[in-house]
Amino acid sequence: MRGAGRAAIAAPHLRTDRWWLQPAVTFAGLLAFIVYSTWRAFANADYYAAPYVSPFYSPCLAENCAPMKGGPNWEIFGSWWGLSPALLILIFPLGFRLTCYYYRKAYYRGFWASPPACAVAEPHKTYTGETRFPLILQNMHRYFFYAAVPVAGILTYDTVLAFRDEDYEWGHMGLGTLVFLVNIVLIWAYTLSCHSCRHIVGGKLKHFSKHPVRYRMWQWIGKLNARHMLLAWASLISVALADFYVYLVASGVFDDPRLF
Ligand code: FES
């Protein structure tokens, strides 16, 4: 931002590289996900193809869900809920990603140009950071992390259920099982690489030597944390692909190829 106390440089920036490329790619990638996930969340159809349930629709919290044998169906919201059941659950993973430190940087740059890139002045006249409503709510990220952990646990359960065939017999694997396995590994890697998780595990300690287990876990999480941006994108793509796979099978585009 320009203003008193800042160097009086007339040029908008002095960068000579293609600094706009990263925010442009970020904008396109996030927009594609928003469009796709909005369509799928409101579709309220083709989210279950035995034995797979779309990660966008699990756990099911309303009575109007497709019957998922053995799946996480808790009809907390009863029959009065007439909209898509995905809307009841997506708020948690969505809130987790929306308040994520990496995604904040990504969409502040890609969507709001605040700032567009390092050392490029932003077009806005004032800057209040995250000190006021609504952006002060970004500080709830830790609580969304607490909500994201059980959701990841439920998706793990769904992945275990994917080791059945379409008649619910155990000990089978289809291409969809592999898709679900890759997705759940990436979901956990992204969730555990969270900055809040790193602080919960290793923060507020005066002496690491007195907490060797937490220190070891903090080191592991630190290694994941260094790849948080990569994991954010990989898990975003994998969760959309897992949903799309279920959509293709459920809508009859092709049958899930059985591996054994
Ligand atoms: Fe990205 Fe917590 S900082 S998920």
Side-chain angles (χ1 to χ4, degrees):
M1 294 203 40
R2 303 183 187 287
R6 296 291 177 129
I9 299 171
H13 61 82
L14 301 175
R15 289 183 65 165
T16 54
D17 60 338
R18 287 186 292 171
W19 58 266
W20 47 267
L21 189 59
Q22 195 171 14
V25 170
T26 303
F27 176 81
L30 290 181
L31 189 65
F33 182 81
I34 291 166
V35 170
Y36 174 78
S37 57
T38 304
W39 165 56
R40 286 294 291 148
F42 281 91
N44 198 7
D46 300 324
Y47 56 85
Y48 183 62
Y52 311 119
V53 59
S54 158
F56 286 8
Y57 283 79
S58 184
C60 179
L61 302 180
E63 230 177 271
N64 62 349
C65 295
M68 301 177 222
K69 191 168 176 184
N73 294 1
W74 303 304
E75 295 165 2
I76 299 169
F77 284 80
S79 57
W80 63 269
W81 181 264
L83 300 174
S84 166
L87 302 178
L88 293 170
I89 194 65
L90 278 183
I91 182 81
F92 300 108
L94 186 71
F96 185 47
R97 288 190 187 252
L98 212 59
T99 58
C100 162
Y101 296 9
Y102 164 67
Y103 282 112
R104 270 142 78 175
K105 170 189 150 187
Y107 67 79
Y108 287 172
R109 290 184 177 195
F111 285 76
W112 293 343
S114 179
C118 282
V120 178
E122 61 178 272
H124 311 283
K125 296 244 179 320
T126 55
Y127 176 78
T128 54
E130 294 171 338
T131 57
R132 290 196 208 156
F133 183 82
L135 291 186
I136 198 166
L137 296 179
Q138 302 280 31
N139 293 300
M140 288 173 64
H141 183 61
R142 169 177 292 235
Y143 300 103
F144 278 115
F145 169 76
Y146 292 140
V149 169
V151 171
I154 288 161
L155 297 189
T156 308
Y157 180 61
D158 290 337
T159 306
V160 173
L161 295 180
F163 281 87
R164 303 178 297 175
D165 63 12
E166 59 276 13
D167 299 319
Y168 304 109
E169 293 293 327
W170 285 97
H172 297 275
M173 242 183 121
L175 181 59
T177 317
L178 279 182
V179 172
F180 272 46
L181 272 174
V182 170
N183 179 47
I184 199 60
V185 167
L186 290 172
I187 292 278
W188 272 116
Y190 168 66
T191 305
L192 295 177
S193 69
C194 168
H195 292 69
S196 288
C197 174
R198 187 164 176 261
H199 184 258
I200 289 162
V201 170
K204 289 197 170 176
L205 296 181
K206 283 209 168 78
H207 306 287
F208 272 138
S209 57
K210 290 194 180 140
H211 304 274
V213 175
R214 287 181 67 182
Y215 179 50
R216 180 57 62 89
M217 286 168 61
W218 179 79
Q219 284 181 311
W220 287 336
I221 288 171
K223 285 190 183 133
L224 280 178
N225 181 256
R227 292 171 178 76
H228 193 56
M229 178 179 88
L230 180 68
L231 292 169
W233 280 106
S235 59
L236 193 76
I237 293 167
S238 76
V239 79
L241 284 180
D243 171 79
F244 190 57
Y245 188 88
V246 175
Y247 166 75
L248 291 178
V249 177
S251 59
V253 174
F254 68 88
D255 290 332
D256 178 47
R258 293 276 104 198
L259 305 181
F260 63 83

